[in-house]
Amino acid sequence: MILDARVARALNSIAGTQLATSGWSSTDYLWYCDSLQRWAQRLSSDQQREIRPDELEWLLFDLGGRR
């Protein structure tokens, strides 16, 4: 999983986080990876189809580029 400025901007906007747009700690990165995994599992269950963490990563990346 890639955590970059675009992804951080999207997370800050939709999840209310306060991630810096650069210089992330290992704790930030682990939180990000764990969160994507949890969200993907939850959405997979809700949508009754597999949603992978990398799909969410792409959506965040795309959204972060629009801000």
Side-chain angles (χ1 to χ4, degrees):
M1 298 290 103
I2 297 170
L3 176 58
D4 63 9
R6 288 175 67 158
V7 169
R9 279 193 301 271
L11 283 169
N12 290 341
S13 176
I14 64 173
T17 59
Q18 296 181 349
L19 288 172
T21 54
S22 65
W24 303 277
S25 68
S26 58
T27 301
D28 291 337
Y29 185 71
L30 288 174
W31 172 85
Y32 168 65
C33 290
D34 289 344
S35 295
L36 285 182
Q37 184 65 38
R38 283 192 319 273
W39 296 334
Q41 288 173 346
R42 175 83 184 258
L43 288 168
S44 293
S45 176
D46 291 348
Q47 298 298 313
Q48 298 180 341
R49 72 170 187 88
E50 181 184 10
I51 297 175
R52 298 182 322 268
D54 64 301
E55 293 176 271
L56 299 179
E57 175 188 31
W58 168 247
L59 292 172
L60 291 168
F61 179 80
D62 186 51
L63 178 64
R66 297 177 191 195
R67 304 231 172 250

